[in-house]
Amino acid sequence: MKYKVAYIDEVDRDIRSFKRSVLLRANEKFDVIAVKPKPSIQDTVSEIFEHFADAVVADFRLSEEDPKVHYNGSDVIKQLLDIRKDFPVFILTSFEDDAVDKGFDVNIVYEKKDIQSDSKFFDKVVIQIKKHKAKIESAEIRLLELIEKRKQEELSHSEEQEFLELDKLIEGALDKRGIVPEDLKMNTNADRLESILKKADEIIKEVKKKENNG
């Protein structure tokens, strides 16, 4: 199975360089989708989501060749994480300290030269994608168990809390903008949670459909 990785960069030669690195070191693992930054960061983020990418790799410097772009890769990553919690994201830079100074986890910041010398970076991308998918799938399975139990009997206090946390986790993984406050969820019934799972399943099916057609 190949994963889709969106690579954000404004420089054509750097896009070609990244694709060459994937071809040489991780061709069997990834399909690369090149995304050039648009003047509006919201438009760039929207395009990334339209591709149903499994992970995003962004160049730190995005405005060196396009004066209309007034943001950098760390800004894109922040917006992505504001929408989808814990989504697999990475920043590539020739100016590592600049990206780290933005307050990002050092584990997602890598120098461009590192990905050209070995395959460790791409191995880490695969690990993060698998961990993210496994976390969501595990939450869905457990939430379904609680939904079925709730239909038969009242849940314990700890189970109700787990119920809410799992619901929040799945919502955040899909789109944090749609998260419902917990005080409103307390009176929520299983039908609403089933609709969340249905939405998640539809997204997964759409991704698989695009992968098969791609």
Side-chain angles (χ1 to χ4, degrees):
M1 174 184 179
K2 282 192 174 184
Y3 297 110
K4 288 187 177 181
V5 174
Y7 178 63
I8 302 97
D9 203 320
E10 91 283 20
V11 182
D12 287 332
R13 64 178 178 277
D14 288 341
I15 292 173
R16 291 194 298 269
S17 176
F18 183 80
K19 286 184 174 181
R20 276 198 306 273
S21 295
V22 170
L23 186 63
L24 291 172
R25 308 189 184 283
N27 186 44
E28 75 282 4
K29 298 174 184 176
F30 301 120
D31 283 326
V32 178
I33 303 159
V35 177
K36 285 197 170 185
K38 296 175 170 52
S40 165
I41 189 172
Q42 288 80 15
D43 290 342
T44 300
V45 171
S46 294
E47 181 178 345
I48 293 167
F49 285 136
E50 286 171 4
H51 289 297
F52 294 94
D54 296 300
V56 173
V57 180
D59 181 42
F60 182 63
R61 304 276 181 175
L62 296 179
S63 56
E64 292 179 292
E65 295 194 4
D66 189 343
K68 295 180 181 178
V69 176
H70 300 289
Y71 56 89
N72 58 39
S74 63
D75 298 321
V76 175
I77 295 303
K78 184 178 184 303
Q79 286 222 4
L80 288 169
L81 293 177
D82 282 344
I83 296 172
R84 290 190 181 174
K85 184 179 180 182
D86 298 329
F87 191 76
V89 293
F90 302 86
I91 299 174
L92 293 184
T93 179
S94 300
F95 310 90
E96 187 174 8
D97 289 341
D98 288 346
V100 174
D101 285 345
K102 291 289 184 179
F104 282 91
D105 182 351
V106 295
N107 293 312
I108 72 169
V109 180
Y110 295 85
E111 290 193 49
K112 288 182 177 180
K113 63 182 178 60
D114 292 338
I115 71 167
Q116 297 167 355
S117 58
D118 59 50
S119 62
K120 290 180 181 178
F121 169 76
F122 298 110
D123 292 338
K124 291 177 181 178
V125 175
V126 171
I127 289 171
Q128 291 306 312
I129 291 173
K130 288 182 176 179
K131 283 175 61 176
H132 183 64
K133 288 179 179 291
K135 185 177 181 180
I136 297 172
E137 289 172 3
S138 176
E140 288 183 346
I141 291 170
R142 177 56 178 158
L143 189 55
L144 282 171
E145 291 174 354
L146 291 174
I147 287 173
E148 290 304 312
K149 183 175 181 180
R150 203 179 194 189
K151 290 178 180 178
Q152 305 298 323
E153 60 184 278
E154 194 171 307
L155 298 180
S156 68
H157 176 71
S158 62
E159 287 173 330
E160 284 286 359
Q161 291 302 312
E162 182 185 10
F163 193 94
L164 293 173
E165 287 301 316
L166 290 169
D167 178 29
K168 184 178 179 180
L169 187 155
I170 294 171
E171 280 185 318
L174 295 176
D175 191 336
K176 286 170 66 178
R177 294 169 297 183
I179 289 180
V180 177
E182 283 193 15
D183 58 342
L184 296 180
K185 288 181 183 177
M186 294 303 294
N187 296 321
T188 275
N189 57 32
D191 290 340
R192 179 181 169 278
L193 293 170
E194 287 177 340
S195 72
I196 292 172
L197 292 175
K198 182 178 179 182
K199 179 181 177 182
D201 288 337
E202 288 173 352
I203 291 175
I204 292 170
K205 288 178 182 177
E206 185 65 24
V207 171
K208 289 181 179 178
K209 181 181 177 182
K210 287 181 177 291
E211 289 176 346
N212 292 334
N213 292 337

